[in-house]
Amino acid sequence: MSSDVIRAKEMESSVPGDLFDKVKDKRVKHASILRGQSLLHTTSKLHRFPGGASIKEALEWVAAQDTTTSMDATLIFDDGSGLIFMEGKFTEYETMSDEEDEDES
């Protein structure tokens, strides 16, 4: 098993089980990565998955992008919701309704 696949599995396993069950069948439309050691030395990349990708496929793509610097990533689903990872660990699930709530306050 390659190190990218292992890293992708570690990222996947950091998502709480009940949440993963809720999103496991969704298709990932985009993956966004931000990598670097500081704000001055940071690069970002947005990748589009034509036809959508499974969470596993998207995480394997993310894991293959970098092995040497700090990296954060977001998997964006067709419905606009997303899984956010920092330093390779799940941190947040964001939905479109979360953003609408912030706009109203």
Side-chain angles (χ1 to χ4, degrees), residues 66-87:
D66 191 78
T67 57
T68 59
T69 61
S70 168
M71 184 168 60
D72 302 333
T74 302
L75 301 185
I76 305 163
F77 299 112
D78 286 335
D79 65 2
S81 63
L83 295 175
I84 302 170
F85 297 85
M86 296 183 76
E87 299 291 328

Side-chain angles (χ1 to χ4, degrees), residues 21-32:
D21 288 342
K22 179 179 175 180
V23 301
K24 67 182 176 187
D25 295 324
K26 290 187 178 195
R27 301 297 288 171
V28 178
K29 185 176 182 179
H30 295 98
S32 171

Side-chain angles (χ1 to χ4, degrees), residues 16-81:
D18 58 334
L19 175 60
F20 188 80
D21 288 342
K22 179 179 175 180
V23 301
K24 67 182 176 187
D25 295 324
K26 290 187 178 195
R27 301 297 288 171
V28 178
K29 185 176 182 179
H30 295 98
S32 171
I33 59 170
L34 184 66
R35 64 178 169 218
Q37 296 297 336
S38 70
L39 289 176
L40 295 176
H41 302 286
T42 300
T43 59
S44 63
K45 184 175 188 177
L46 179 65
H47 181 74
R48 181 176 173 268
F49 295 100
S54 68
I55 294 174
K56 178 184 174 192
E57 293 166 325
L59 287 175
E60 287 177 2
W61 179 85
V62 167
Q65 300 309 301
D66 191 78
T67 57
T68 59
T69 61
S70 168
M71 184 168 60
D72 302 333
T74 302
L75 301 185
I76 305 163
F77 299 112
D78 286 335
D79 65 2
S81 63

